[in-house]
Amino acid sequence: MENIQKKGTVKFFSGKKIPLEMHKVRIVQSLNLVPVERRLEAIKEGGYNTFLLETKDIFLDMLTDSGTNAMSDQQISKMFVADDAYAGSKSFTKFKTAVADVFGKDMILPVHQGRAAENIISQTFVKKGSFLPMNYHFTTTLAHIQLNGGTVVELYTKEAMKIKSTNPFKGNMDIPRLEELIVSKGPENIPFIRMEASTNLIGGQPFSMENYKEVRKIADKYKINIVLDASLIGENAYFIKKREEAYFDKSLGDILREMCGLADIVYFSARKVSSSRGGGICTNNMDLYYKMRDLVPLYEGFLTYGGISIREIEAMTVGLYETLEEDVVGQSPSFIEYAVNELDKLGIPVVMPGGALGCHVEAQQFIPQVPQSEYPAGALVAAFYIISGIRGMERGTLSSIRDENGNDILAELELMRLAFPRRVFTLSQTEYVIDRLNWLYNNRELVGGLTFVEEPPVLRFFTGRLAPVSDWPEKLVAKFRADFGDSL
Ligand SMILES: *Cc1c(COP(=O)(O)O)cnc(C)c1O
């Protein structure tokens, strides 16, 4: 049965390479596309920050894959059998079993989402003078580590920052630099090495098992723990299966357990990994478990719900098992691969090869006239919303921080991320994304920069407000009308 059901990609007689959905849609939500003039108004009201837009003004919401993946009928049905006991809930026991089955970790601390896990891990292990090596940071990870006095050390390989690459594992860690760092700072100042699956901020790029095993060897040599951020682990496992020869014949389950087995602590955001809400920290090490445990009732909730609604715990449990299915986990990467290849044919600078969670457009190549001090990725995201009604997310200098002198720390990559939440968008919607990006690329000289008018000190990209440096948005709208007539 296993073999009969095993699916490669379906080949089309026409020779076209298009992804084919292995699900049907039975619950739908209406979308609304407001005219370009209203979109200009809306982005002004939102301070040119797409986080401050409202759904009523958005056509395709490609802001994030966080909590926006489609749930399965199995997940939703289980939500009705939840046991809402405050302590000792049956729903939690099922969740604990799923974590042991899928990740191979027996002890689990539930938390309300991924960053809550980062809070607990950072408070427990990071102190002033700590150095935290990682393949790359995530925004909330960096914030929590800094809050506790630690310094993040990014140990990505040279390949990671190349936009167009054929390297299948741009999320790998630079092993020689890891060892150099440990020797120079002293292993006692390194509470853990952090590996992030499908490295989010560099374009959802995976690491290979081979590289990760090398990291483990170094960790063993210097007796340092490994913490695995497993928020996007399903996709990383999928890429290992598709791209790393030694794993072509392994199941996703085997790969997932091997990945988790190499880490001392695994944490995740269930908003991503299991298409629901919640998160968790899991380990097989009793000592580590007890060090973290008491912070859960303090910040999250009792140990058997951790601030998550019990219905969501049921959905999380099913979602974890669905992470073992290639058709589920591969859906978003196959759409991303399609979009990335089509955009590349049009000459549009996109991160290649396609990774997890979204399609990433490089803004410095797209609009080279906008200097990094004027947030090119932010400007591109705003411009793209105006001309398409599609909401993307800035992942560049605007999502970065300032140094002690108040200067922007310039991001290595200026990316507009267009997330492909799992099983949410159709291929014709994907074609619309490609079409409108093509139009914007042909009119790219019209896009100008942005400047802050209101800048919060922490995680400024969430709520900060900006303004355009000239009247470029009006000019863009005028050109849109000239080219598209009365089209939306
Ligand atoms: C989303 C994400 C987080 C944070 O999770 P939240 O549930 O949004 O708090 C941490 N790490 C990675 C890699 C993520 O993608």
Side-chain angles (χ1 to χ4, degrees):
M1 203 51 195
E2 172 79 347
N3 262 340
I4 296 169
Q5 286 185 346
K6 214 176 221 173
K7 295 169 198 91
T9 8
V10 174
K11 290 198 179 95
F12 282 80
F13 179 55
S14 66
K16 279 185 188 161
K17 285 209 166 87
I18 53 177
L20 183 63
E21 293 88 342
M22 286 297 165
H23 57 265
K24 58 181 176 178
V25 180
R26 295 185 61 239
I27 295 183
V28 297
Q29 211 167 17
S30 296
L31 290 172
N32 188 26
L33 181 52
V34 297
V36 67
E37 291 78 11
R38 170 58 207 156
R39 302 197 295 255
L40 177 59
E41 281 304 307
I43 197 80
K44 271 188 201 165
E45 288 163 19
Y48 285 82
N49 179 349
T50 50
F51 275 100
L52 303 180
L53 290 170
E54 292 178 28
T55 295
K56 67 179 172 57
D57 295 314
I58 295 166
F59 177 46
L60 304 180
D61 194 356
M62 306 184 90
L63 184 75
T64 177
D65 59 328
S66 178
T68 57
N69 295 309
M71 278 205 209
S72 67
D73 49 359
Q74 299 299 320
Q75 281 184 292
I76 291 175
S77 65
K78 284 293 185 299
M79 293 174 89
F80 292 90
V81 292
D83 168 18
D84 59 3
Y86 184 95
S89 154
K90 275 189 214 161
S91 298
F92 179 75
T93 308
K94 286 191 235 170
F95 172 56
K96 191 169 183 273
T97 306
V99 170
D101 287 345
V102 178
F103 291 163
K105 298 287 187 208
D106 294 333
M107 286 170 274
I108 168 83
L109 297 166
V111 294
H112 78 275
Q113 64 184 82
R115 71 201 66 184
E118 292 171 338
N119 172 39
I120 289 174
I121 293 169
S122 303
Q123 280 208 37
T124 307
F125 301 106
V126 177
K127 52 181 196 289
K128 203 162 181 292
S130 295
F131 291 90
L132 288 302
M134 52 190 71
N135 53 346
Y136 207 69
H137 75 277
F138 184 68
T139 49
T140 53
T141 324
L142 178 67
H144 278 294
I145 287 173
Q146 288 185 333
L147 204 62
N148 287 284
T151 305
V152 165
V153 188
E154 321 259 25
L155 297 178
Y156 51 84
T157 62
K158 284 199 190 79
E159 204 64 35
M161 296 302 151
K162 266 196 210 148
I163 304 302
K164 199 169 167 172
S165 160
T166 52
N167 189 312
F169 293 111
K170 288 159 82 179
N172 279 355
M173 184 174 271
D174 187 326
I175 305 292
R177 280 172 67 207
L178 173 64
E179 190 155 17
E180 268 166 46
L181 178 87
I182 297 171
V183 171
S184 71
K185 303 296 179 195
E188 67 283 3
N189 294 315
I190 300 178
F192 56 83
I193 300 166
R194 176 176 171 278
M195 285 298 274
E196 182 178 311
S198 306
T199 326
N200 192 325
L201 295 192
I202 60 166
Q205 298 292 318
F207 55 73
S208 70
M209 195 76 90
E210 189 187 2
N211 178 259
Y212 183 29
K213 283 181 183 166
E214 291 298 316
V215 175
R216 183 71 254 178
K217 275 191 205 149
I218 303 274
D220 286 342
K221 181 168 168 191
Y222 295 98
K223 301 196 167 47
I224 302 173
N225 287 328
I226 293 182
V227 172
L228 174 66
D229 180 342
S231 303
L232 299 167
I233 194 171
E235 287 82 355
N236 201 129
Y238 173 81
F239 289 127
I240 287 176
K241 182 171 168 58
K242 293 286 171 192
R243 299 178 182 177
E244 192 167 351
E245 205 176 338
Y247 291 86
F248 287 172
D249 294 325
K250 293 261 161 66
S251 72
L252 281 182
D254 290 340
I255 299 172
L256 285 170
R257 276 185 299 275
E258 186 170 347
M259 289 175 81
C260 293
L262 289 166
D264 301 279
I265 293 174
V266 175
Y267 76 89
F268 59 92
S269 164
R271 299 177 65 88
K272 323 266 175 69
V273 77
S274 86
S275 318
S276 57
R277 297 287 185 277
I281 309 171
C282 50
T283 181
N284 283 336
N285 181 321
M286 192 82 89
D287 258 8
L288 297 175
Y289 173 84
Y290 279 114
K291 277 190 179 137
M292 294 182 281
R293 189 191 63 172
D294 296 337
L295 292 179
V296 174
L298 182 63
Y299 287 107
E300 303 299 308
F302 189 68
L303 289 171
T304 56
Y305 75 91
I308 319 164
S309 101
I310 220 81
R311 288 177 189 236
E312 297 285 358
I313 290 181
E314 290 281 348
M316 244 163 105
T317 303
V318 178
L320 277 179
Y321 286 115
E322 288 181 355
T323 302
L324 301 172
E325 292 172 33
E326 221 174 290
D327 285 338
V328 175
V329 175
Q331 197 272 337
S332 168
S334 64
F335 268 59
I336 292 164
E337 188 184 10
Y338 176 80
V340 160
N341 289 340
E342 293 299 308
L343 292 167
D344 183 55
K345 281 185 211 157
L346 296 166
I348 297 171
V350 278
V351 171
M352 297 190 72
L357 82 130
C359 165
H360 298 73
V361 182
E362 211 287 326
Q364 279 183 291
Q365 289 178 31
F366 198 108
I367 41 171
Q369 70 273 22
V370 178
Q372 264 192 300
S373 57
E374 292 179 7
Y375 311 116
L380 183 58
V381 171
F384 190 50
Y385 166 72
I386 293 170
I387 64 107
S388 67
I390 298 166
R391 167 157 81 164
M393 188 193 287
E394 195 273 359
R395 295 277 82 160
T397 298
L398 216 152
S399 301
S400 176
I401 51 174
R402 289 186 188 269
D403 65 17
E404 58 275 20
N405 303 317
N407 299 316
D408 273 323
I409 299 179
L410 301 178
E412 281 116 328
L413 295 175
E414 294 287 349
L415 302 178
M416 166 167 79
R417 184 183 80 190
L418 300 172
F420 277 84
R422 220 181 261 171
R423 297 185 289 193
V424 172
F425 297 124
T426 64
L427 201 61
S428 47
Q429 289 167 337
T430 306
E431 290 293 347
Y432 175 80
V433 174
I434 295 164
D435 182 80
R436 288 301 190 258
L437 254 176
N438 191 18
W439 183 86
L440 188 60
Y441 192 60
N442 281 289
N443 291 281
R444 59 189 180 276
E445 74 288 348
L446 292 176
V447 181
L450 297 174
T451 179
F452 264 109
V453 290
E454 230 182 275
E455 186 179 342
V458 184
L459 296 171
R460 62 183 183 175
F461 60 92
F462 278 133
T463 54
R465 303 183 74 85
L466 301 104
V469 296
S470 67
D471 65 348
W472 66 261
E474 280 76 14
K475 294 207 171 105
L476 196 62
V477 169
K479 183 67 173 22
F480 179 94
R481 276 283 164 247
D483 285 4
F484 286 107
D486 61 359
S487 168
L488 285 170

